[in-house]
Amino acid sequence: MFDYLTFGLLAQLFINGILFGTMYGLAAIGLSLIFGTMRIIFLSQGAVIILMAYCCYWLFTLFKIDPYLSIPIIGLAAMVLGAGIYQGLFRRAVKMEDKNITLLIAVGLMFLIENLMAVMWTPNPRSISTGYTSSSIPVGGLAISFTRLMGFVMAMLSTAGVTLFLKRTLVGKAVRAASEDIEAARLVGISPHWVNTIAFAIGIGLCGIAGIALSTTYPFDPYFGFIFSLKAMIALALGGLGSVFGALLGGIILGTLESWSSFFISGGWADAVSYGVFLLVLLFKPEGLLVRSVKKV
Amino acid sequence: MENRLLEIKDLHVSYGSVCALWGVSLHVPEGSIVALVGANGAGKSTLLKTIAGMNRPKNGSILFSGKHITGLTPEAVVNAGIAMVPEGRKLFARLTVKENLELGGYIPRARPFIQKSLEQAYELFPLLKTKSNQIAGSMSGGEQQMLAIARSMMSRPTILMLDEPSLGLSPLVVKMMFELVEELNRKGMTILLVEQNIYQALKISHYAYVIKTGKIVLEGKGEQLLSDPEVQNAYLGTME
Ligand SMILES: Nc1ncnc2c1ncn2[C@@H]1O[C@H](COP(=O)(O)OP(=O)(O)OP(=O)(O)O)[C@@H](O)[C@H]1O
Ligand SMILES: [Mg+2]
């Protein structure tokens, strides 16, 4: 029997998956930019997202600033933080042959942020509750949560913004050029430090957006970040490095997969399915599911 | 004495413990074509890369318009007016032709003129205009070499260094390539040309240096070197 209930349920799961997946997608875009320009696997991405979620939470709790009004504040602060992380932690390390050093710095930063958050704000889960938290918008018999829809819209807009920046501005083109071939980029006069700073500013700026989306939709605790980083990497493997919309789409596919598998199999299987998919993609199409192979000159 | 636009004095460069250049000295007069020829592994690319700021010399100095540029970053060297078309072209393969050109004008000195430089590039290479939205990596070898030269011209250089521009091109395109180099020179561009295509390189150059295992072993006017038995021997026989 395929009645309306099952169809409605499937659709609802699908929509939830998409909305959650956009957060993975945002994290994946940042990872992709940072990896693309510097070959750094920035494992602290998830922890930074949680940190931003806490910022949003405290702006709301202490200063009564509506989460959506805090977008410009947190977005800007996150970009500055990103530039600072590059200048302070990675500027010297990116020049080194040994890429393990940057990975270790990223892991160290993750532990630092996690523990800082746990000490400052206790390991208890938090969530933001506003007047509109539980409101939903009816669409053709389905109820779409307002906050998740907002998260989706924020993700789409920031992805479009990043894409426009990379495609239309000279500095954005320089970031793409440097990701492709840093030596050639230097020969036309592109400064690696400038490009790297920008990649970090955008990557961490997107963490700000993802943090706000997260804090308004789900409870979070200081240690949630690592899983988030892993999921972002899976999203990246699905979408393929080097494509902003691919990364977002990878996140959405992953979110949908998780949402379905946690319903049809059981909650605990959602992660197993994600990692399974990750392995399969790495085994059979390591350049990313959604990537056309591009030949190098 | 002619005006020495670029002057290299006693340059020593090594990769780790391997010495690639042993006290190379040469100069490029303003408005001339100077060729640097030699066998594989002689150190030609190493010299150009060192001038471009990609390698740090152990010893020696590089003077550009009389000023020391030794040890500058590649970005600073381009901005000073030295452009290099590297071996293997090094285009941004996934970017379009137009994007490659625009990035050629990225440096502060050239950025205000990007639109103007773009028009000039299209005038010199009408083909690039018709392909402006094509992905650079999908062009033919000859077209890519043209794009690489056009991209380097976008930085409005005073001197252009070309590292084996004829590499991997068919004979007809090679001929066009050398004609282009001559044309650029006629328009006033100073050129330092690295080539394995010795005959053609010596023919169009005003002065030439022969480099062998990191040392300059011969130098002279292009035509003069062409008739040199040693060069003829090396050119006609195997380049060891
Ligand atoms: N990155 C590097 N690390 C170590 N050794 C290098 C490096 N680049 C070049 N060499 C060595 O330095 C020497 C000079 O190389 P270079 O590339 O300058 O030669 P070339 O004259 O340009 O040769 P070709 O005509 O083949 O391009 C060679 O012995 C080469 O093996
Ligand atoms: Mg070479």
Side-chain angles (χ1 to χ4, degrees), chain B residues 15 18-20 38-47 49 87 163-164 194 196 211:
Chain B
Y15 296 104
V18 185
C19 219
N40 289 109
K44 307 179 297 292
S45 299
T46 302
L47 178 62
K49 281 186 186 164
E87 193 173 355
D163 195 345
E164 300 200 28
V194 161
Q196 299 237 21
I211 186 171

Side-chain angles (χ1 to χ4, degrees), chain A residues 6 18 48 66 88 102 116 146 164 173 204 226 255 291:
Chain A
T6 43
I18 289 177
V48 177
D66 184 273
T102 57
L116 217 62
F146 173 72
L164 278 179
K173 290 170 195 172
I204 305 297
F226 181 59
V291 169

